[in-house]
Every structure is written in structure tokens, then in C-alpha cells.
Amino acid sequence: MIPDNQDIGHTVGFYFIFLSFVPVNIVTGSTRPGSQNQDSEEVLYDSQLDLQEIVFVIQSQSNSFHMSWAKRQRADLLQQTQSLTQTPPPVLLLHSLTDNEGDWSILPLLPYFSSLFGKNSSWLVFLEEETNVKVTKLLQALRKFDRRKEWFLGKPLHDEESTIIHHYAFAENPSIFKYPDFSAAWALSIPLLDRLANKVRDDPLKSDFTIDLKHEVALYIWENGQGPRLTAVPELCTEPEHSPTAQHCATTLRRLAPLCGEPVKKEDIFVAVKTCKKFHSERVPVVKKTWEREASLLEYYSDHTDPSIPTIDLGVPNTERGHCGKTFAILKRYISDAVPKTSWLLVVDDDTLISLPRLQMLLSCYDPSEPLCLGERYGYGLGQGGYSYITGGGGMVFSRAAVVRLLASDCKCYSNDAPDDMVLGMCLNALGLPVTHSSLFHQARPEDYSRDFLAHQVPISFHKHWNIDPVAVFNRWLKDESISTSSHGLNKSTKEEL
């Protein structure tokens, strides 16, 4: 595990930054109503923006591993500012701001940010934990924009085809709508922040589901064409930190695939595959052709016993959707004497495609003695005091401590066909246990995500066989020839050790 660094919050040396007085492009936006004219530029020079006018928000999580990374990131930012400013800029950790479960969805916090920083700041800059920032280059990039205007800045992503994770938005021309790659950082000018904050106050958030936050934030800001579109900033990048192509970048990525030490042994992960009789001949063979061989301990759970697979009938009838009864039966079996005792439980669907060696690497960063629920995080009713949950299709990872806490509570399914992932999310919320998000798990197919978004990932999972060749998808996206089935076969030249 990574040790915490000391927080750096003290006042640091005298600020005055010398930049050559060479004209640079200042992009001018328009005030409300309407969005900016992104093509209009004036050659100006504006050195008035000071570093302490930038508020940094690290999109941190409350798990100990993620907290330690966020604190390191904050320390690095403040260290860079020591020679630049007498008063360091605010650097906030998102998970620590309030007790609201929905804070990670950003929008409910906009009034909070506006009330604290609306009068004395110019920019709100959001960073993910893996985002590396070169502060002076970021300051220079922001100086190109008139801070008195409404600006929504980032590295743009777009969809190649309409996708279920974006509710098939812009189906006629999916690529027309741009949304930010959060890994590159993204920014709101204070005039835009203040207006959005008033909108949240006056018209409370109504969206039921939070699925892909970066797309949903962009839609909320765009406001059906009444608000600003995302403006591309070339200095916001997702190249690796030390890449020769990143010389111009104000932001880069610290790491590719997480590895915090020796990967977790495969013998310490118990894998539960949910299936049913009608998919024994269609989906189970795909699992066997692709990733089953990487598992040491794996069982298939079905409504029908089939010795040729083999499957185990847990006595729960199959349901067309939800599968809550089956999942809770799996949790109970996991902590019983029926299966070997392990630190980790992975629950997947029979149409989940997953790289177990990459999961072993990821789990090296987490403490199994903590109650951890890990995967791709979705939200339900977050603007109205709802809850977060790990969406099941991409794979749900539980530490043994989490399973024990869940089953020791009064949490249970209200019906066998209740949505298991959402019920678990409600239970975790009631217990005060946060879910932990990893963008390396995917509820949908590779085709459903932006190519540029996947380009800087080492993904762990995808889901669904619809309209694809699942074996080909596994071989392209999830199969590592350089990673053997043992924990000693990692090709560390392609992985960055934390």
C-alpha cells in the first residue's frame, strides 16, 4: 500500500511570475444568452490572471488507496506553487467536502463552489487522481481565455455511433456533440459556474440515473443549445507524463495500468459467474474460450445443474432481469465452508469479458481487510439524496470484509428479480460504505465508448455480446500475450508501477 504524504497547506514564498510580453491569443467568449463564438479570437496579452484565482478540485474517493493518491497529487500541486505565489491556490479533495453521497456527480456541488469561490476566483479546474499538472503551463493556457465570459474547457471526446450509455443521444450524428475527457482535466469559468449554480438552486436536479458523468455534465452545461459547448484546449492532454509528444502539455497522465506491488495471487480471487440454462450453450463457451483459464477458483451458478460445464443450482429460480436472489445466494455461499476462503470475490455475468491478470494487478493497490466494493460506478437519484452502485455487467469486486458486513446487516432482496447491483448499492449506502470507482471496468462494449477515451486505458472488462464477436473483442482488448498466468509473468515495460 502507498503511504500517505504529509498535507502541504502552509503559506509559501513570495509570488511574482515573469513572462515575456509577447502577444498571445486570447479567445473571447460571449456572455449569456447563447454560447461562445469559438472561432473569434483577438490578439491580446492578459497577465492579470493569478494562480490563486484557480481553484483545483481533485475528483478523489474515500477509499484509503485513492485518498493517498489524491493527497500526493495535492502535495505536488502545492509544491509547484511555492516559487510562484505567496498565497497557494485552493486544492480541494472532492470526497471530503460534504457528507453528500452524490458529490462525485459534481452538479449537486456547484452551489457550494459558487458560494465559496464565486467572488474571489476566476476558474474551477477539475482533475482526476491520475492527472499530472504542470502549473505554469496550465496558467498560460487559461490566460488565453477571457475569464469574464462563460467557458467550458477540456479535451473533447465524441461518440462514433449512438450508444446506450449516452441514451442514444444525437443518434443522427453522434460525433457532433463533444464532451470532456476528465483524465485531461476540465475547467469552468466562474461566470459559467455562478449561472449553473443558480440553475441548480432554482431547478433541482431531476436525472434518475448517472451513468457516464462526463457526458452528462456536458449535456447539462450545453442546455439544449442555450449554453456553451465544450471548447478544446490543446494543452490539456492524456499522453503519458514523460512522452516526447507531451512537451506542449499542461496536463498528462501519471500511469497506465495500476500496479502497487506484487499482483494479487489468482488463488486469492474467487470468481462467480451468473448464468442460466438457456445460455449454457451460447455464452458459457465464450467464457471458456477466453478468460476462464486464468481463474484458479471459479464456479458457474445457474437455475439448472449441468455437469459438463459444470454449473451449480443455488435453488433460486431464473429471472429475466435483476437476479438479486441469485447474487445474494452467491454472497452467502462465498463466506460459507462450501468454497475455499479467499480475500476477494468477483461476480460477473456470463456475457462479461474480463482480464483476470489485469484485475490481479489492480487489486494489489487495495487492502482486503477494508470493506471494498469495486467496479464501474453508477448513481441513482444523486441530486435528491440517492445512492451509488457498482453496475453488474462490468464485474463487481468485493473484499471478504465487505461481504461479511453486507450479510451481517438487515440488507436483503425485496424480490428475486430486483436489480442486484442497485439493491447492493442501497445496502452499502445504508451501511455508510462507499462504492469505489474504476474506469477500467466497462458496462458496455468497446464500440460504446469514445476511441480517444479507450486509447489511454488498459481496460479490465467489457460487457455484452450484442452485434460483436466476443472472442475477437477479448483478443483485441483484454488478452495480454506478455502476461503469463503466474503473478511473475508481468511485462513491466508496458506497465507503470505505482
Side-chain angles (χ1 to χ4, degrees), residues 181-208:
D181 189 331
F182 280 2
S183 297
W186 57 287
L188 303 176
S189 64
I190 293 300
L192 176 58
L193 168 66
D194 288 341
R195 180 173 65 79
L196 294 174
N198 287 331
K199 180 183 175 185
V200 172
R201 292 188 191 102
D202 297 340
D203 187 15
L205 299 165
K206 298 182 179 65
S207 176
D208 288 339

Side-chain angles (χ1 to χ4, degrees), residues 307-447:
S308 68
I309 294 177
T311 62
I312 295 172
D313 184 353
L314 292 172
V316 179
N318 188 56
T319 55
E320 287 299 317
R321 59 186 65 199
H323 312 299
C324 191
K326 182 183 291 185
T327 297
F328 270 76
I330 290 171
L331 297 180
K332 292 175 183 177
R333 180 175 173 84
Y334 172 69
I335 64 169
S336 74
D337 295 331
V339 299
K341 185 176 181 179
T342 65
S343 295
W344 301 103
L345 169 65
L346 168 66
V347 180
V348 296
D349 294 345
D350 52 10
D351 57 349
T352 301
L353 300 171
I354 192 164
S355 169
L356 293 180
R358 294 179 189 176
L359 178 61
Q360 292 170 244
M361 293 167 62
L362 177 64
L363 290 181
S364 70
C365 298
Y366 296 99
D367 183 351
S369 68
E370 296 180 4
L372 175 75
C373 301
L374 173 69
E376 183 177 19
R377 178 181 55 194
Y378 281 11
Y380 181 76
L382 294 179
Q384 302 91 34
Y387 57 90
S388 305
Y389 63 98
I390 298 300
T391 181
M396 298 184 289
V397 181
F398 303 90
S399 65
R400 173 170 287 272
V403 177
V404 170
R405 285 283 300 274
L406 279 166
L407 295 181
S409 71
D410 294 330
C411 179
K412 58 183 179 181
C413 301
Y414 53 83
S415 66
N416 281 336
D417 65 350
D420 54 352
D421 48 7
M422 297 182 71
V423 170
L424 287 167
M426 285 189 284
C427 295
L428 293 168
N429 187 54
L431 289 170
L433 299 178
V435 302
T436 300
H437 173 68
S438 171
S439 62
L440 304 181
F441 295 81
H442 302 87
Q443 171 68 15
R445 310 163 303 158
E447 289 84 346

Side-chain angles (χ1 to χ4, degrees), residues 19-210:
L19 295 171
S20 82
F21 288 87
V22 178
V24 298
N25 288 335
I26 302 289
V27 186
T28 58
S30 62
T31 55
R32 181 78 173 172
S35 60
Q36 303 95 330
N37 179 354
Q38 298 176 27
D39 297 324
S40 65
E41 297 185 0
E42 296 179 13
V43 179
L44 300 170
Y45 183 78
D46 178 10
S47 61
Q48 298 303 308
L49 177 65
D50 289 334
L51 190 56
Q52 58 263 41
E53 296 174 58
I54 302 173
V55 179
F56 292 96
V57 182
I58 300 172
Q59 293 175 236
S60 57
Q61 302 187 69
S62 58
N63 172 268
S64 61
F65 164 68
H66 292 277
M67 282 194 293
S68 66
W69 259 108
K71 288 177 180 179
R72 284 188 172 198
Q73 187 179 31
R74 178 170 64 184
D76 176 70
L77 284 169
L78 294 173
Q79 181 71 30
Q80 288 187 61
T81 68
Q82 284 188 1
S83 61
L84 302 178
T85 178
Q86 184 175 4
T87 304
V91 182
L92 311 179
L93 303 186
L94 186 65
H95 79 273
S96 66
L97 298 182
T98 78
D99 294 328
N100 178 22
E101 166 63 22
D103 283 355
W104 65 268
S105 62
I106 307 294
L107 297 178
L109 273 178
L110 295 182
Y112 172 91
F113 291 133
S114 177
S115 63
L116 282 184
F117 305 110
K119 293 182 179 179
N120 299 316
S121 302
S122 297
W123 292 96
L124 201 62
V125 176
F126 293 89
L127 312 170
E128 291 202 331
E129 293 168 3
E130 68 267 25
T131 309
N132 181 62
V133 180
K134 297 178 181 177
V135 171
T136 54
K137 288 189 176 182
L138 179 63
L139 185 62
Q140 292 167 10
L142 292 177
R143 283 176 171 166
K144 298 178 182 179
F145 299 91
D146 187 343
R147 56 190 164 165
R148 299 166 298 178
K149 309 293 185 181
E150 292 189 358
W151 290 107
F152 175 32
L153 308 180
K155 177 185 177 181
L157 300 173
H158 68 271
D159 295 334
E160 283 78 27
E161 58 184 64
S162 61
T163 170
I164 188 172
I165 64 171
H166 296 156
H167 307 290
Y168 300 106
F170 307 96
E172 293 184 1
N173 186 6
S175 64
I176 196 171
F177 185 72
K178 306 299 191 294
Y179 53 99
D181 189 331
F182 280 2
S183 297
W186 57 287
L188 303 176
S189 64
I190 293 300
L192 176 58
L193 168 66
D194 288 341
R195 180 173 65 79
L196 294 174
N198 287 331
K199 180 183 175 185
V200 172
R201 292 188 191 102
D202 297 340
D203 187 15
L205 299 165
K206 298 182 179 65
S207 176
D208 288 339
F209 288 93
T210 301

Side-chain angles (χ1 to χ4, degrees), residues 241-316:
E241 184 176 2
H242 302 296
S243 170
T245 64
Q247 298 301 313
H248 71 289
C249 294
T251 62
T252 53
L253 294 186
R254 295 180 187 273
R255 62 187 192 260
L256 296 176
L259 178 61
C260 301
E262 281 297 309
V264 169
K265 294 180 180 179
K266 63 167 64 178
E267 294 81 10
D268 211 17
I269 303 174
F270 187 85
V271 183
V273 182
K274 296 183 296 181
T275 188
C276 62
K277 183 178 180 180
K278 68 177 180 179
F279 292 133
H280 286 186
S281 61
E282 178 183 338
R283 295 181 179 178
V284 170
V286 173
V287 178
K288 290 183 173 294
K289 288 179 183 177
T290 54
W291 59 268
E292 183 200 75
R293 70 195 69 172
E294 298 289 355
S296 175
L297 301 169
L298 180 148
E299 289 183 343
Y300 293 90
Y301 299 111
S302 180
D303 57 342
H304 176 74
T305 300
D306 184 342
S308 68
I309 294 177
T311 62
I312 295 172
D313 184 353
L314 292 172
V316 179

